[in-house]
Amino acid sequence: SLESLGAIGNEVVERAEPDPLLNEGRPCHHIPGGKARPSVIERTDEHHPRIEQAFRKYFFRADVPPSLTSGKGTSKSADGEDSTKT
């Protein structure tokens, strides 16, 4: 529907539904800045599993491009010695 679309320049961008995994958590405890009480650490860490799940959902290591994996063989090192690429 048009309500779920936004315009950026001449392009139309579909808006995604909010992801509850991305809800803000409690800010970290400050060290150094005083001793963190165990209860503060527990309250801070209670959102860690959700935040970690969101991180793994949206951030990942990309596959190595084929152009970088096809260069197996030997090459000269800076000191002129042959070295085998793996």
Side-chain angles (χ1 to χ4, degrees):
S1 70
L2 291 177
E3 297 85 33
S4 66
L5 299 176
I8 299 177
N10 294 331
E11 296 185 37
V12 175
V13 178
E14 187 174 344
R15 294 181 190 251
E17 291 295 319
D19 187 343
L21 291 176
L22 297 175
N23 288 345
E24 197 167 334
R26 182 180 176 89
C28 66
H29 37 81
H30 303 285
I31 300 173
K35 184 173 179 171
R37 294 185 316 268
S39 61
V40 172
I41 293 171
E42 285 177 23
R43 286 195 312 265
T44 302
D45 290 346
E46 72 184 16
H47 295 284
H48 178 79
R50 177 185 53 79
I51 294 168
E52 182 68 24
Q53 185 180 1
F55 181 84
R56 291 182 183 276
K57 179 177 179 179
Y58 290 102
F59 295 92
F60 56 92
R61 185 177 303 272
D63 293 332
V64 177
S67 62
L68 295 178
T69 60
S70 63
K72 294 186 179 188
T74 60
S75 66
K76 299 269 185 195
S77 64
D79 61 3
E81 295 291 322
D82 283 340
S83 61
T84 301
K85 292 183 183 178
T86 56

